[in-house]
Amino acid sequence: MKNLKMILAIGFVFNILVVTAQQSAYVSAESGLSLRDQPDVSGKMLTKLAYGEAIGVLEKTYKQLVVLDAGEKVSGEWVKVETRNHIGYVFDGYLSSEKIAKTIRLKLKDLNVEIKNLATSDYKRSHDLNNSETATINVDADATPEGKNIVLVDSDYKHVSLFQRYENSFSFMSADSKCNTNEWTQFDTEWKPLKQLNSNTYETLTYTEKDWITFIETATKDLKDDVVDKCGEDWLNYIKTIDNVKDFPVSVSTNRVFIKMILTDFEDNVTEKIIEFEMPKGS
């Protein structure tokens, strides 16, 4: 019995050493990093790890690899790693020991814009707004563009103003099928200026519970004729008693969030650029 306890204790200590030996690393490839079932580029891809994602490095394979990235050589080796859902192999030339902020960069002729700590569903981290009026950013399912820092870098404009608005959806339902809206009805909120934290940093707005209640009231007012025609005045009055956005029979959701940049150069020419955040369904 004594020997058995000793064996169990040794095993327990060994497990602790294995766990503590695991090192944290962060994906530094802006386009994402392939996780494979074998330490080889021909191995089956298990998933694609997002830029900035934290993983645990389990062991080295000492299998070297050199890749060509935008004309430059990146050297490293395959390592065995663990994620929340998989164990597999990645090329460590695109791993960093330092935590990485999920920064999105937008390039303009006389200005660079950085959006901090926002995960995307398509791993696209760079956008060129020189020859385009709009940049579309696909927000990840567990992320939001609200409460994020927007940093103006190397600005050569006389003045830059930033504003934000939402495209929200409103739907209502009932046991009476004629009382349902077959399609979500979309509404745009008004443009509001972003909060300026310092000379070159702004913070995106957050839609509060109070904002949602106001939205329901506004949307209901705009839909009044349709609601009354389908459901009657009593149902319309019932809508006014809703004090929570999750209350049946109303459903509300954000489809898109927009940031408008108004750029004024030193000759007082004004240009507008739009950053469009495409939200995952059900946000």
Side-chain angles (χ1 to χ4, degrees):
M1 185 70 177
K2 183 177 180 181
N3 290 337
L4 177 60
K5 288 182 178 180
M6 183 176 294
I7 292 171
L8 291 175
I10 293 172
F12 179 70
V13 171
F14 177 76
N15 287 335
I16 291 177
L17 291 173
V18 170
V19 172
T20 55
Q22 177 175 307
Q23 296 180 337
S24 295
Y26 303 89
V27 177
S28 61
E30 293 197 353
S31 58
L33 184 62
S34 296
L35 177 69
R36 300 187 183 277
D37 67 344
Q38 298 294 327
D40 194 281
V41 291
S42 61
K44 179 183 176 182
M45 189 173 78
L46 302 175
T47 188
K48 198 165 191 179
L49 306 177
Y51 175 73
E53 183 173 343
I55 60 175
V57 178
L58 300 176
E59 61 185 53
K60 295 182 176 182
T61 67
Y62 300 101
K63 187 174 182 180
Q64 304 296 314
L65 180 66
V66 178
V67 301
L68 196 63
D69 187 352
E72 295 188 4
K73 290 183 179 180
V74 180
S75 301
E77 68 175 89
W78 290 94
V79 292
K80 188 176 184 180
V81 302
E82 182 178 23
T83 71
R84 185 174 298 178
N85 300 311
H86 299 91
I87 292 179
Y89 298 86
V90 299
F91 172 54
D92 73 354
Y94 293 111
L95 292 182
S96 170
S97 59
E98 302 294 329
K99 190 172 182 179
I100 296 173
K102 298 178 175 67
T103 301
I104 297 173
R105 295 177 175 85
L106 301 103
K107 297 180 181 179
L108 292 89
K109 180 181 178 182
D110 297 311
L111 172 67
N112 290 316
V113 179
E114 294 184 351
I115 303 171
K116 302 293 187 179
N117 295 312
L118 180 61
T120 60
S121 59
D122 57 4
Y123 309 111
K124 188 173 182 181
R125 313 302 303 179
S126 298
H127 299 261
D128 192 336
L129 270 172
N130 282 307
N131 300 312
S132 177
E133 300 300 320
T134 304
T136 300
I137 297 172
N138 294 298
V139 179
D140 196 42
D142 297 323
T144 174
E146 298 179 311
K148 297 295 186 291
N149 286 356
I150 296 183
V151 182
L152 308 182
V153 182
D154 301 327
S155 177
D156 196 24
Y157 283 97
K158 179 180 178 180
H159 187 70
V160 180
S161 298
L162 282 79
F163 300 86
Q164 180 174 331
R165 74 169 173 82
Y166 290 78
E167 179 189 88
N168 295 331
S169 290
F170 175 93
S171 178
F172 57 88
M173 59 205 78
S174 169
D176 185 351
S177 60
K178 72 177 183 178
C179 239
N180 294 335
T181 52
N182 295 325
E183 296 181 359
W184 291 78
T185 304
Q186 298 176 356
F187 297 89
D188 292 332
T189 64
E190 295 180 354
W191 289 106
K192 292 184 178 180
L194 265 61
K195 179 181 179 181
Q196 188 167 1
L197 303 180
N198 55 49
S199 60
N200 69 332
T201 304
Y202 296 76
E203 183 178 86
T204 57
L205 306 178
T206 299
Y207 217 60
T208 66
E209 190 81 6
K210 182 178 179 180
D211 291 325
W212 276 118
I213 298 303
T214 302
F215 168 71
I216 291 176
E217 293 173 351
T218 303
T220 304
K221 182 178 179 181
D222 290 344
L223 285 170
K224 181 177 179 180
D225 291 340
D226 189 29
V227 172
V228 171
D229 181 57
K230 290 182 178 180
C231 309
E233 289 281 357
D234 291 342
W235 197 91
L236 186 64
N237 290 331
Y238 171 69
I239 285 285
K240 297 177 181 179
T241 67
I242 294 173
D243 58 8
N244 189 299
V245 296
K246 296 181 180 179
D247 280 357
F248 181 86
V250 166
S251 293
V252 291
S253 179
T254 294
N255 300 326
R256 293 183 293 177
V257 179
F258 298 89
I259 301 295
K260 177 167 63 175
M261 296 186 292
I262 301 179
L263 313 168
T264 306
D265 65 20
F266 287 93
E267 295 179 354
D268 290 330
N269 297 310
V270 177
T271 304
E272 288 190 11
K273 299 287 184 178
I274 299 291
I275 306 171
E276 175 187 320
F277 297 96
E278 190 76 29
M279 302 296 290
K281 291 182 179 180
S283 296

